Amino acid sequence: MMRREPYVHVAISRKPLADRLTVTDPLLAAQNVSALVTGAEKACPMRASLRLDGATPFPRVLRSLPQTIIYTDLNEFAPDRSK
């Protein structure tokens, strides 16, 4: 069954970070996507999502829309501004 909403709130899950938003098919079909990722507990899922071979829906977004903008407070993902 395809959902119409671009995301779904997940309050209970077997996965870590059970209280989260997850993307659905309409978001995967979007032409412009921005993501907001905050909190230290999101570092590990963010690292996994940035792997283009990742198994979660977000790597599919990144593969199809490489111009996706990610806003985050996680310093390890900040651009290197020393250049």
Side-chain angles (χ1 to χ4, degrees), residues 18 20 31 35 38 42 52 55:
R20 66 184 191 281
Q31 292 182 2
T38 63
K42 303 290 193 317
L52 293 180

Side-chain angles (χ1 to χ4, degrees), residues 31-35 58 61-70:
Q31 292 182 2
N32 298 297
V33 174
S34 297
F58 196 56
V61 171
L62 296 176
R63 282 192 297 270
S64 65
L65 297 168
Q67 70 278 13
T68 298
I69 298 170
I70 302 171

Side-chain angles (χ1 to χ4, degrees), residues 9-13 18-20:
H9 176 248
V10 177
I12 299 172
S13 172
D19 191 20
R20 66 184 191 281

Side-chain angles (χ1 to χ4, degrees), residues 6-78:
Y7 61 86
V8 175
H9 176 248
V10 177
I12 299 172
S13 172
R14 296 178 308 217
K15 292 180 177 181
L17 298 174
D19 191 20
R20 66 184 191 281
L21 295 179
T22 189
V23 299
T24 63
D25 290 323
L27 182 64
L28 296 173
Q31 292 182 2
N32 298 297
V33 174
S34 297
L36 174 64
V37 181
T38 63
E41 69 277 6
K42 303 290 193 317
C44 185
M46 181 69 172
R47 232 178 274 112
S49 291
L50 291 176
R51 293 185 53 206
L52 293 180
D53 63 343
T56 64
F58 196 56
R60 287 175 36 202
V61 171
L62 296 176
R63 282 192 297 270
S64 65
L65 297 168
Q67 70 278 13
T68 298
I69 298 170
I70 302 171
Y71 299 96
T72 184
D73 62 352
L74 303 172
N75 289 335
E76 73 179 272
F77 302 106

